[in-house]
Amino acid sequence: MGEHTADRTAARARAELRGDCASCFGLCCVALPFARSADFAIDKDAGTPCANLRTDHRCGIHATLRERGFTGCTVYDCFGAGQRVSQVTFGGGDWRTGPPERTRRMFDVFPVVRQLHELLWYLTEALTLPAARPVHADLREALAGTERLAGGTPEELAALDVPAHRQRVNVLLLRTSELVRAGTRGRRKNRRNADLMGARLKGADLAGADLRGAYLIAADLTGADLRGADLIGADLRDTDLTDADLTGAFFLTQPQVNAARGGPGTRLPDSVSRPVHWTAGR
Ligand code: SF4
């Protein structure tokens, strides 16, 4: 497959790995627990519908989530798990009208499918990276295997050992990262799982760095060079990315970007979109 064709295929796949709320029964607003915090204005148990969820499965305060203390809702993305569980796994059956056992099972498998879809996101991206060609066959196999698991029955999904599968995929993602960063001058910058909370990294040269799982909460990365950096699992809550360059940064997800701060001068990789609240000044 040519590189342009592969990119188009990946773009289509990535579009499907984004939440489509119109095709979902508001699962993230019901199935997940919330703890009152800076991200959520209320406490809520798993399986209890949020008080703001309307009967048509839309959010009643969608336009004012941040002002009302629900920043977490503007950051979250289900990677397309919501529409799969609603329309495919449970065949379009609404949790509001189904028997309680079926409803419980739906809420149980939603986070499982979300984790599998997150892996599909990484594997899809890895297959677009030319430097990872030596492991493309393994990546394709892992992608097909993960897709098979995500398409399982509710019972199969509920019984799935997700951490074990994640571990197997992670070996491949690590290898991908090494191959991609091998050609960059920053390949030796290892900040894996580093505690960089609140760090002053204005203008830092982090090109090609390994920032897997790094804690960058509220760090100042304004004007930093993050080109070609591996950002898988990095915690970017309130990280200031104003004027930072993330061109070619990989394994970055939309929720990570949504959680960070940025502006018109922030350069993002093509895989993610610029959050609306960056331009709305919220
Ligand atoms: S506030 Fe809105 S988006 Fe957030 S959980 Fe409640 S209904 Fe869903």
Side-chain angles (χ1 to χ4, degrees), residues 218-232:
D220 179 4
L221 280 168
T222 54
D225 185 354
L226 290 151
R227 288 175 296 168
D230 178 353
L231 284 160
I232 196 166

Side-chain angles (χ1 to χ4, degrees), residues 45-96:
D45 292 330
T48 302
C50 171
N52 297 315
L53 185 65
R54 302 190 316 209
T55 51
D56 64 356
H57 304 296
R58 299 301 177 98
C59 174
I61 58 165
H62 180 72
T64 54
L65 281 165
R66 289 194 159 238
E67 292 86 334
R68 306 274 289 264
F70 288 86
T71 303
C73 301
T74 66
V75 168
Y76 182 84
D77 190 276
C78 70
F79 293 99
Q83 62 258 33
R84 185 197 283 262
V85 173
S86 297
Q87 304 301 335
V88 181
T89 318
F90 287 85
D94 189 344
W95 56 266
R96 289 187 193 274

Side-chain angles (χ1 to χ4, degrees), residues 139-169:
L139 288 166
R140 272 193 291 273
E141 199 178 308
L143 183 75
T146 305
E147 181 58 43
R148 251 192 323 275
L149 293 176
T153 64
E155 292 69 30
E156 287 167 342
L157 286 161
L160 194 62
D161 185 350
V162 182
H165 182 66
R166 182 179 275 274
Q167 190 51 41
R168 284 191 291 275
V169 170

Side-chain angles (χ1 to χ4, degrees), residues 28-255:
C28 62
C29 308
V30 189
L32 306 180
F34 300 162
R36 190 192 294 259
S37 63
D39 288 332
F40 296 105
I42 56 168
D43 285 315
K44 185 186 88 55
D45 292 330
T48 302
C50 171
N52 297 315
L53 185 65
R54 302 190 316 209
T55 51
D56 64 356
H57 304 296
R58 299 301 177 98
C59 174
I61 58 165
H62 180 72
T64 54
L65 281 165
R66 289 194 159 238
E67 292 86 334
R68 306 274 289 264
F70 288 86
T71 303
C73 301
T74 66
V75 168
Y76 182 84
D77 190 276
C78 70
F79 293 99
Q83 62 258 33
R84 185 197 283 262
V85 173
S86 297
Q87 304 301 335
V88 181
T89 318
F90 287 85
D94 189 344
W95 56 266
R96 289 187 193 274
T97 53
E101 180 50 39
R102 183 177 171 284
T103 296
R104 266 197 300 277
R105 190 39 68 86
M106 189 184 254
F107 296 159
D108 286 347
V109 305
F110 170 65
V112 172
V113 176
R114 187 194 188 253
Q115 289 183 72
L116 293 171
H117 273 217
E118 185 181 1
L119 294 177
L120 289 174
W121 173 275
Y122 297 134
L123 290 164
T124 300
E125 178 170 22
L127 280 163
T128 69
L129 303 170
R133 197 160 283 131
V135 289
H136 272 191
D138 293 335
L139 288 166
R140 272 193 291 273
E141 199 178 308
L143 183 75
T146 305
E147 181 58 43
R148 251 192 323 275
L149 293 176
T153 64
E155 292 69 30
E156 287 167 342
L157 286 161
L160 194 62
D161 185 350
V162 182
H165 182 66
R166 182 179 275 274
Q167 190 51 41
R168 284 191 291 275
V169 170
N170 195 40
V171 171
L172 271 179
L173 299 180
L174 273 167
R175 182 73 189 116
T176 299
S177 178
E178 284 161 9
L179 287 165
V180 172
R181 291 183 304 104
T184 67
R185 61 189 163 76
R187 66 185 185 282
R188 293 189 198 285
K189 289 178 203 141
N190 185 351
R191 305 281 190 281
R192 196 181 291 181
N193 299 319
D195 181 353
L196 296 168
M197 284 194 259
R200 293 182 192 160
L201 294 165
K202 187 172 184 171
D205 179 5
L206 291 165
D210 180 353
L211 286 159
R212 295 173 69 92
Y215 296 93
L216 286 157
I217 300 167
D220 179 4
L221 280 168
T222 54
D225 185 354
L226 290 151
R227 288 175 296 168
D230 178 353
L231 284 160
I232 196 166
D235 194 332
L236 299 181
R237 280 177 289 167
D238 275 333
T239 308
D240 195 347
L241 296 175
T242 303
D243 295 332
D245 190 350
L246 288 86
T247 309
F250 57 100
F251 296 154
L252 180 67
T253 65
Q254 195 63 48

